[in-house]
Each structure stands twice: as C-alpha cells, then as structure tokens.
C-alpha cells in the first residue's frame, strides 16, 4: 500500500505560526525520506488551530529540501480564487519542482460563511456581478472554473472570442515544460464532486477524514468515469485521520486534542489553538464534546503499529484503493518542542515501518 500525507499545519497552545510551519517543514522532509507518495496542504481560513490558508504559496517553502515526494494542495478551494491566479501559481510550482506537483481542487469554502464572502470580495456591500449587474456565485460556476483552470495550464491555453471574429489566447505563465504540468485531482465529500470528476475524467479523492459516505462517492465516480486526458481508468484514494503510538493508551491520549477541536467544530463551540494532550484538554472537554468526539473518531486510525496496520488494510480493502492519505493528528504533550511535532512524526515513522520498509 502507498501512504501519503495531508497537513493542515496545526497550531497548538504556545506555538506561533512560524513554529507551526517549521514543524510541518520537518514533517514533509521526514515523509520524503520514508518514501511517502505525496504531501498535500489544505486551505482553511479564520481558524486559530490551522495555519494552512494558501497551499500554493506554502509549498514554495515546505517543499524545500525534498527530493521525491509529490507536493500538492488538498485542496485549493476554487470558488475563493480566480482560475488564472490558481493556474499561474501551480505553473510556477511546476517550474520549480518539475513533475512532482498535484493540484487538488475543492468546491467547499474551507471556512465560515462570513469569511467565505470576504474571500470572494463581498465585504460590506461589495458584490461580484456580471455585465448585466446580476450577482455571481462562484460556487455555481465551479464546473466551468475547473475546466478553465486546467485549460490555462495546457500549451493550447484558453481562446477568448473578441469582437470582429478575433481571438485572444490566454495561458498560465511560466509555461510548463512538456510532462511537468500539475496533475489535477478533484476533491469531494459528496456525490456532486464524484460525478463531476467522472464526467471530466479526472482523478478523484473522497475527504473521508471529515465526512461519511465514501463508499457511495467512490461508486458514483467509478460507475460514471469517462476516459480522457488524465487516464483511461478511474484513479482514486481516500483520506483518514491517524494517531499511531507505541501503545494504544498513548495513541488514544494523543488523539484527544484534535477530537475536541472536531467536536467543537460540529457543535459550534469556541475554537482556539489545539490543546495539549493530557490534563490540558481533559480539564475543559465536556461530556457532550467527548460523546461527539468519540462518535466522529470511530472512522480514525488510532492504536499501536499493529492495530493501525490492520485498520488501514481494512480501510483500503473497504474502498478498493491501494493508496491512503493520512492526516497525522497526534497531539503534543507539555514540554515538547514548539518547532517540532514529535507525535506526528512518530505516527508517520511507525506507519512507514509497517508499510514502506
């Protein structure tokens, strides 16, 4: 089985954003050494526990020092951005890192509705409108924006009709050399993205780390896949949250900070930096939050190396995939270095010993 890595660049109590990125830089370099297939960073906004807001820009730094691992977005939330801006940023990444770039594209806002509106230029009374003055909803234009983004990164580019029968050709720059264009993936947590990926013949990833329904999404994608520029067969994998430690007790202890965060996200609780494993998180976690967290974490990988191996093999078998992208969510304990995520690196080390060595 191939293993890959999803990173939200988590920020815990006491850390600065600089500390969090230093820790993630160490994480991706370690994953590269261990033989992980790809490393993706997410896009989330206005969340105190997540530093990853601009995947393309972050990869300029995070990819430094890596040699083999694929680097990508998991994903760029396309309704927040102009297709040309995304295409040019990932064309630039390809110019730097060659054929190791993945462009994962998503439709969700990656934030709350107010922040989402601000990302799209809707602060105050501002509105995006068309030539007739009608309000534009980028989410409704998502399929066309996906097509435009991908077309802008090809040598042919996009031909824009002008008056008088003329055309203007637009391409992302710097122009990628042959064979180095970013590999696009469509991300989703519903049947909508599964159908669109199948229709466009794109690789597809179900966001199993936070949403249920991967079985349905995978079936929709595989049953409706149309061969095209990105391959003749469906290409897919799933994501999952993972905490792996030498013992099950330690793994469960280190899972609790992220469990609390996810429970509060679902229940509307107060958000903040990730708490520390142990008394720090247990002193504030309510019975309701624990109940919600334990239900959400039933689909996670939590345990010692042998338990985690069995859980991952069962997950891969259930969804019919030979690659799983883990999000290492092991929490830190008091006294651990701020610019180093010992527990997250421990998770990927222990999984590599089971699968990659």
């Amino acid at each position: 089985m191939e293993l890959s890595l999803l990173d939200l660049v988590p920020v815990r109590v006491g850390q600065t954003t600089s500390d969090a990125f230093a820790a993630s830089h160490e994480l991706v370099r370690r994953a590269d050494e261990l033989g992980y297939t790809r490393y993706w960073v997410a896009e989330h906004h206005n969340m105190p526990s997540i530093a990853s807001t601009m995947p393309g820009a972050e990869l300029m730094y995070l990819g430094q020092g890596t040699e083999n691992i694929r680097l990508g977005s998991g994903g760029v939330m396309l309704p927040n951005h102009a297709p040309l801006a995304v295409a040019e940023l990932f064309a630039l990444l390809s110019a730097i890192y060659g054929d190791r770039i993945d462009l994962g594209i998503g439709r969700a806002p990656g934030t709350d509705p107010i922040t989402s509106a601000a990302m799209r230029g809707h602060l105050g009374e501002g509105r995006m409108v068309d030539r007739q003055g009608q309000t534009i909803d980028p989410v409704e234009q998502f399929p066309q924006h996906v097509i435009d983004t991908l077309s802008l990164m090809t040598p042919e580019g996009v031909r824009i009709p002008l008056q008088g029968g003329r055309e203007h050709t637009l391409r992302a720059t710097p122009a990628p050399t042959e064979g180095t264009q970013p590999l696009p993936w469509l991300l989703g947590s519903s049947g909508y993205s599964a159908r669109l990926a199948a229709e466009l013949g794109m690789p597809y990833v179900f966001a199993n780390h936070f949403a249920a329904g991967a079985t349905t999404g995978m079936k929709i994608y595989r049953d409706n896949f149309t061969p095209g520029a990105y391959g003749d067969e469906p290409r897919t994998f799933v994501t999952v949250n993972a905490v792996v430690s030498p013992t099950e007790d330690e793994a469960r202890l280190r899972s609790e900070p992220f469990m609390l965060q996810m429970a509060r996200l679902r229940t509307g609780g107060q958000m903040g930096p990730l708490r520390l494993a142990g008394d720090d998180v247990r002193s504030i976690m309510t019975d309701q939050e624990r109940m919600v967290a334990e239900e959400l974490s039933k689909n996670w990988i939590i345990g010692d190396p042998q338990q985690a191996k069995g859980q991952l093999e069962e997950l891969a078998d259930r969804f019919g995939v030979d690659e799983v992208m883990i999000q290492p969510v092991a929490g830190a304990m008091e006294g651990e270095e701020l610019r180093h995520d010992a527990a997250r690196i421990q998770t990927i080390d222990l999984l590599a010993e089971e699968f990659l060595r």
Side-chain angles (χ1 to χ4, degrees):
M1 186 193 303
E2 293 185 44
L3 293 180
S4 292
L5 211 56
L6 174 65
D7 191 4
L8 275 59
V9 191
V11 182
R12 66 179 186 263
V13 171
Q15 272 188 324
T16 64
T17 300
S18 175
D19 293 333
F21 273 105
S24 282
H25 194 199
E26 182 183 24
L27 180 75
V28 62
R29 285 182 294 179
R30 181 60 178 159
D32 186 43
E33 294 171 359
L34 293 170
Y36 278 71
T37 300
R38 63 190 90 240
Y39 169 84
W40 286 3
V41 281
E43 178 183 341
H44 291 282
H45 301 278
N46 198 34
M47 299 184 73
S49 63
I50 296 174
S52 184
T53 59
M54 300 292 290
E58 293 158 16
L59 290 170
M60 296 289 184
Y61 162 66
L62 293 169
Q64 293 177 19
T66 63
E67 296 181 358
N68 299 303
I69 196 167
R70 297 189 64 84
L71 306 166
S73 55
V76 168
M77 301 295 104
L78 193 53
N80 295 339
H81 310 282
L84 179 59
V86 175
E88 290 202 325
L89 182 51
F90 278 77
L92 178 58
L93 282 167
S94 291
I96 295 170
Y97 292 109
D99 62 355
R100 290 198 285 140
I101 299 301
D102 292 330
L103 171 55
I105 298 172
R107 184 173 67 112
T111 187
D112 60 86
I114 295 174
T115 307
S116 175
M119 286 293 300
R120 299 169 190 173
H122 294 187
L123 277 174
E125 294 301 313
R127 291 291 184 272
M128 295 175 65
V129 297
D130 62 17
R131 292 178 180 176
Q132 286 72 46
Q134 300 298 313
T135 300
I136 296 172
D137 184 354
V139 174
E140 294 179 0
Q141 297 181 312
F142 180 70
Q144 185 59 50
H145 283 179
V146 171
I147 294 170
D148 290 344
T149 302
L150 303 185
S151 298
L152 285 162
M153 293 187 294
T154 65
E156 297 79 16
V158 175
R159 290 184 172 87
I160 301 171
L162 303 175
Q163 291 182 349
R166 295 177 297 125
E167 285 188 335
H168 179 80
T169 302
L170 185 61
R171 303 180 184 89
T173 53
T177 57
E178 186 175 352
T180 66
Q181 290 97 336
L183 177 63
W185 296 77
L186 203 60
L187 283 55
S189 58
S190 68
Y192 175 93
S193 293
R195 289 187 184 279
L196 181 60
E199 179 183 333
L200 298 178
M202 292 177 61
Y204 169 70
V205 181
F206 190 92
N208 182 66
H209 65 290
F210 72 83
T215 302
T216 301
M218 291 289 190
K219 179 171 174 44
I220 290 172
Y221 172 64
R222 287 170 171 143
D223 287 351
N224 295 278
F225 181 80
T226 303
Y230 306 109
D232 295 331
E233 299 290 338
R235 184 174 181 180
T236 186
F237 60 83
V238 295
T239 59
V240 67
N241 296 318
V243 182
V244 187
S245 301
T247 67
E248 180 183 2
D249 287 345
E250 181 184 340
R252 297 206 170 275
L253 179 70
R254 289 190 181 273
S255 72
E256 290 178 347
F258 195 72
M259 287 171 63
L260 172 63
Q261 203 75 358
M262 292 301 293
R264 288 189 167 182
L265 188 63
R266 292 296 178 91
T267 60
Q270 185 176 357
M271 306 297 287
L274 287 167
R275 308 294 292 205
L276 301 177
D279 291 341
D280 187 47
V281 67
R282 291 180 174 179
S283 65
I284 64 169
M285 183 181 280
T286 66
D287 290 341
Q288 181 194 22
E289 288 168 343
R290 182 170 291 281
M291 186 170 18
V292 172
E294 288 178 352
E295 182 63 30
L296 292 173
S297 66
K298 286 180 179 178
N299 195 37
W300 296 14
I301 306 299
I302 303 176
D304 64 34
Q306 282 298 308
Q307 290 171 322
K309 180 181 180 182
Q311 293 168 26
L312 271 172
E313 288 174 340
E314 187 278 328
L315 181 79
D317 184 63
R318 189 186 345 146
F319 296 125
V321 296
D322 55 14
E323 178 181 349
V324 175
M325 176 172 278
I326 66 163
Q327 181 187 191
V329 296
M333 293 186 182
E334 187 174 358
E336 293 182 353
E337 294 180 37
L338 293 177
R339 297 175 72 83
H340 173 72
D341 273 332
R344 293 208 300 153
I345 287 180
Q346 178 176 254
T347 290
I348 69 170
D349 277 347
L350 293 175
L351 287 177
E353 290 178 4
E354 298 297 327
F355 289 100
L356 303 180
R357 294 180 179 175

